[in-house]
PDB file of all heavy atoms in Angstrom:
ATOM      1  N   LEU A 594     -40.955  -3.211   4.693  1.00  0.00           N
ATOM      2  CA  LEU A 594     -40.301  -2.921   3.406  1.00  0.00           C
ATOM      3  C   LEU A 594     -40.841  -3.907   2.379  1.00  0.00           C
ATOM      4  O   LEU A 594     -40.797  -5.124   2.593  1.00  0.00           O
ATOM      5  CB  LEU A 594     -38.788  -3.100   3.538  1.00  0.00           C
ATOM      6  CG  LEU A 594     -38.090  -2.194   4.554  1.00  0.00           C
ATOM      7  CD1 LEU A 594     -36.630  -2.618   4.731  1.00  0.00           C
ATOM      8  CD2 LEU A 594     -38.180  -0.747   4.081  1.00  0.00           C
ATOM      9  N   LEU A 595     -41.345  -3.372   1.267  1.00  0.00           N
ATOM     10  CA  LEU A 595     -42.037  -4.223   0.299  1.00  0.00           C
ATOM     11  C   LEU A 595     -41.157  -5.364  -0.217  1.00  0.00           C
ATOM     12  O   LEU A 595     -41.599  -6.514  -0.294  1.00  0.00           O
ATOM     13  CB  LEU A 595     -42.545  -3.351  -0.854  1.00  0.00           C
ATOM     14  CG  LEU A 595     -43.860  -3.803  -1.476  1.00  0.00           C
ATOM     15  CD1 LEU A 595     -44.901  -4.181  -0.447  1.00  0.00           C
ATOM     16  CD2 LEU A 595     -44.393  -2.706  -2.381  1.00  0.00           C
ATOM     17  N   GLY A 596     -39.918  -5.044  -0.566  1.00  0.00           N
ATOM     18  CA  GLY A 596     -39.019  -6.077  -1.096  1.00  0.00           C
ATOM     19  C   GLY A 596     -38.769  -7.172  -0.071  1.00  0.00           C
ATOM     20  O   GLY A 596     -38.724  -8.363  -0.405  1.00  0.00           O
ATOM     21  N   SER A 597     -38.626  -6.788   1.191  1.00  0.00           N
ATOM     22  CA  SER A 597     -38.398  -7.764   2.265  1.00  0.00           C
ATOM     23  C   SER A 597     -39.642  -8.629   2.468  1.00  0.00           C
ATOM     24  O   SER A 597     -39.558  -9.858   2.576  1.00  0.00           O
ATOM     25  CB  SER A 597     -38.080  -7.038   3.570  1.00  0.00           C
ATOM     26  OG  SER A 597     -36.833  -6.396   3.488  1.00  0.00           O
ATOM     27  N   LEU A 598     -40.797  -7.961   2.491  1.00  0.00           N
ATOM     28  CA  LEU A 598     -42.055  -8.690   2.693  1.00  0.00           C
ATOM     29  C   LEU A 598     -42.310  -9.697   1.573  1.00  0.00           C
ATOM     30  O   LEU A 598     -42.842 -10.789   1.806  1.00  0.00           O
ATOM     31  CB  LEU A 598     -43.225  -7.698   2.752  1.00  0.00           C
ATOM     32  CG  LEU A 598     -43.284  -6.813   3.999  1.00  0.00           C
ATOM     33  CD1 LEU A 598     -44.193  -5.609   3.753  1.00  0.00           C
ATOM     34  CD2 LEU A 598     -43.777  -7.611   5.198  1.00  0.00           C
ATOM     35  N   LEU A 599     -41.920  -9.309   0.351  1.00  0.00           N
ATOM     36  CA  LEU A 599     -42.142 -10.189  -0.807  1.00  0.00           C
ATOM     37  C   LEU A 599     -41.426 -11.528  -0.633  1.00  0.00           C
ATOM     38  O   LEU A 599     -41.948 -12.561  -1.044  1.00  0.00           O
ATOM     39  CB  LEU A 599     -41.630  -9.514  -2.077  1.00  0.00           C
ATOM     40  CG  LEU A 599     -42.659  -8.740  -2.890  1.00  0.00           C
ATOM     41  CD1 LEU A 599     -41.957  -7.950  -3.985  1.00  0.00           C
ATOM     42  CD2 LEU A 599     -43.687  -9.690  -3.497  1.00  0.00           C
ATOM     43  N   VAL A 600     -40.250 -11.503  -0.006  1.00  0.00           N
ATOM     44  CA  VAL A 600     -39.481 -12.745   0.154  1.00  0.00           C
ATOM     45  C   VAL A 600     -40.256 -13.722   1.056  1.00  0.00           C
ATOM     46  O   VAL A 600     -40.490 -14.876   0.692  1.00  0.00           O
ATOM     47  CB  VAL A 600     -38.076 -12.461   0.727  1.00  0.00           C
ATOM     48  CG1 VAL A 600     -37.308 -13.762   0.950  1.00  0.00           C
ATOM     49  CG2 VAL A 600     -37.297 -11.535  -0.199  1.00  0.00           C
ATOM     50  N   GLY A 601     -40.705 -13.223   2.224  1.00  0.00           N
ATOM     51  CA  GLY A 601     -41.435 -14.098   3.150  1.00  0.00           C
ATOM     52  C   GLY A 601     -42.774 -14.537   2.578  1.00  0.00           C
ATOM     53  O   GLY A 601     -43.173 -15.703   2.705  1.00  0.00           O
ATOM     54  N   THR A 602     -43.461 -13.601   1.931  1.00  0.00           N
ATOM     55  CA  THR A 602     -44.785 -13.913   1.370  1.00  0.00           C
ATOM     56  C   THR A 602     -44.666 -14.974   0.274  1.00  0.00           C
ATOM     57  O   THR A 602     -45.417 -15.960   0.260  1.00  0.00           O
ATOM     58  CB  THR A 602     -45.417 -12.624   0.783  1.00  0.00           C
ATOM     59  OG1 THR A 602     -45.465 -11.639   1.803  1.00  0.00           O
ATOM     60  CG2 THR A 602     -46.810 -12.884   0.257  1.00  0.00           C
ATOM     61  N   SER A 603     -43.712 -14.787  -0.626  1.00  0.00           N
ATOM     62  CA  SER A 603     -43.558 -15.730  -1.744  1.00  0.00           C
ATOM     63  C   SER A 603     -43.130 -17.100  -1.226  1.00  0.00           C
ATOM     64  O   SER A 603     -43.618 -18.133  -1.687  1.00  0.00           O
ATOM     65  CB  SER A 603     -42.500 -15.235  -2.740  1.00  0.00           C
ATOM     66  OG  SER A 603     -42.764 -13.908  -3.072  1.00  0.00           O
ATOM     67  N   PHE A 604     -42.240 -17.084  -0.239  1.00  0.00           N
ATOM     68  CA  PHE A 604     -41.779 -18.360   0.311  1.00  0.00           C
ATOM     69  C   PHE A 604     -42.945 -19.105   0.968  1.00  0.00           C
ATOM     70  O   PHE A 604     -43.137 -20.303   0.762  1.00  0.00           O
ATOM     71  CB  PHE A 604     -40.654 -18.139   1.328  1.00  0.00           C
ATOM     72  CG  PHE A 604     -40.040 -19.415   1.788  1.00  0.00           C
ATOM     73  CD1 PHE A 604     -38.961 -19.966   1.105  1.00  0.00           C
ATOM     74  CD2 PHE A 604     -40.556 -20.096   2.889  1.00  0.00           C
ATOM     75  CE1 PHE A 604     -38.411 -21.167   1.511  1.00  0.00           C
ATOM     76  CE2 PHE A 604     -40.014 -21.301   3.291  1.00  0.00           C
ATOM     77  CZ  PHE A 604     -38.937 -21.837   2.608  1.00  0.00           C
ATOM     78  N   ALA A 605     -43.752 -18.374   1.736  1.00  0.00           N
ATOM     79  CA  ALA A 605     -44.899 -19.001   2.418  1.00  0.00           C
ATOM     80  C   ALA A 605     -45.874 -19.584   1.389  1.00  0.00           C
ATOM     81  O   ALA A 605     -46.363 -20.710   1.553  1.00  0.00           O
ATOM     82  CB  ALA A 605     -45.604 -17.959   3.287  1.00  0.00           C
ATOM     83  N   LYS A 606     -46.116 -18.835   0.326  1.00  0.00           N
ATOM     84  CA  LYS A 606     -47.048 -19.325  -0.696  1.00  0.00           C
ATOM     85  C   LYS A 606     -46.511 -20.604  -1.342  1.00  0.00           C
ATOM     86  O   LYS A 606     -47.228 -21.598  -1.473  1.00  0.00           O
ATOM     87  CB  LYS A 606     -47.259 -18.256  -1.771  1.00  0.00           C
ATOM     88  CG  LYS A 606     -48.144 -17.102  -1.326  1.00  0.00           C
ATOM     89  CD  LYS A 606     -48.293 -16.090  -2.458  1.00  0.00           C
ATOM     90  CE  LYS A 606     -49.124 -14.902  -2.016  1.00  0.00           C
ATOM     91  NZ  LYS A 606     -49.208 -13.842  -3.025  1.00  0.00           N
ATOM     92  N   GLY A 607     -45.233 -20.570  -1.736  1.00  0.00           N
ATOM     93  CA  GLY A 607     -44.653 -21.721  -2.409  1.00  0.00           C
ATOM     94  C   GLY A 607     -44.652 -22.953  -1.521  1.00  0.00           C
ATOM     95  O   GLY A 607     -45.053 -24.045  -1.938  1.00  0.00           O
ATOM     96  N   MET A 608     -44.256 -22.769  -0.267  1.00  0.00           N
ATOM     97  CA  MET A 608     -44.168 -23.917   0.642  1.00  0.00           C
ATOM     98  C   MET A 608     -45.555 -24.485   0.942  1.00  0.00           C
ATOM     99  O   MET A 608     -45.744 -25.698   1.005  1.00  0.00           O
ATOM    100  CB  MET A 608     -43.484 -23.474   1.942  1.00  0.00           C
ATOM    101  CG  MET A 608     -43.162 -24.629   2.859  1.00  0.00           C
ATOM    102  SD  MET A 608     -42.073 -24.092   4.184  1.00  0.00           S
ATOM    103  CE  MET A 608     -42.057 -25.582   5.190  1.00  0.00           C
TER     104      MET A 608
END
Side-chain angles (χ1 to χ4, degrees):
L594 299 172
L595 214 45
S597 292
L598 290 162
L599 265 171
V600 177
T602 304
S603 310
F604 187 89
K606 285 180 182 175
M608 189 168 173

